[in-house]
Amino acid sequence: MIHIDGIKDNMIANNLEPFEPTHPGEVIKDEIEYRGIPQRKLASEIGVSYSQLNEVLNGKRPLNTEMALLISKALDIDAAPLLRLQAQYDLLVAKRNKSFIKRLEGIRKIAAVL
């Protein structure tokens, strides 16, 4: 988190959370649509089932490392930003999960503060 004296942390653009998190599948889906690549062809090229790829592209399944590397190779794009986007998506979804937040609140701190 970025902190600037005299400015509330939640007013700094880099500290803002999106209203809706972006699943990396959305980004990949936009990219393959822009390039005119059918999902079935991409799935075939990278050796995964169409349904598996489609679930990732529609945000119903997380993008794992292997899938990111396969897509990266086929589309000649870097896998790292896609994986970071998945991690950010997962964090934001977890932070907004009320039952998980209650669980977090019930955990006592056991680490000593130095």
Side-chain angles (χ1 to χ4, degrees), residues 32-33 35-44 50 53 57:
I32 66 171
E33 286 176 357
R35 295 184 187 197
I37 302 169
Q39 289 183 25
R40 289 191 188 278
K41 181 176 180 180
L42 179 59
S44 174
Y50 165 75
L53 177 64
L57 298 181

Side-chain angles (χ1 to χ4, degrees), residues 75-100:
L75 300 179
D76 194 30
I77 57 176
D78 191 7
L82 297 174
L83 291 169
R84 281 194 299 274
L85 191 57
Q86 181 68 54
Q88 291 170 345
Y89 177 86
D90 293 342
L91 279 169
L92 195 52
V93 168
K95 284 167 55 174
R96 293 181 179 177
N97 180 330
K98 291 180 196 264
S99 63
F100 184 70

Side-chain angles (χ1 to χ4, degrees), residues 3 11 21-23 31 34 38 50 52 64 69 74-76 94-95 98 102-103 105 112-113:
H3 177 76
M11 297 304 293
T22 302
H23 189 280
E31 182 65 24
Y34 176 77
Y50 165 75
Q52 185 180 4
N64 63 28
L69 289 170
L75 300 179
D76 194 30
K95 284 167 55 174
K98 291 180 196 264
K102 277 188 174 181
R103 183 177 171 195
E105 290 169 353
V113 178

Side-chain angles (χ1 to χ4, degrees), residues 9 17 22-23 25-26 28 39 42 46 51 54-56 60 66 72-73 78-79 89-90 97 106-107 110:
D9 289 344
E17 290 182 348
T22 302
H23 189 280
E26 295 177 53
I28 299 165
Q39 289 183 25
L42 179 59
I46 64 175
S51 61
N54 183 266
E55 287 174 1
V56 170
K60 296 179 181 176
E66 292 82 11
S72 168
K73 183 71 171 177
D78 191 7
Y89 177 86
D90 293 342
N97 180 330
I107 298 174
I110 60 172

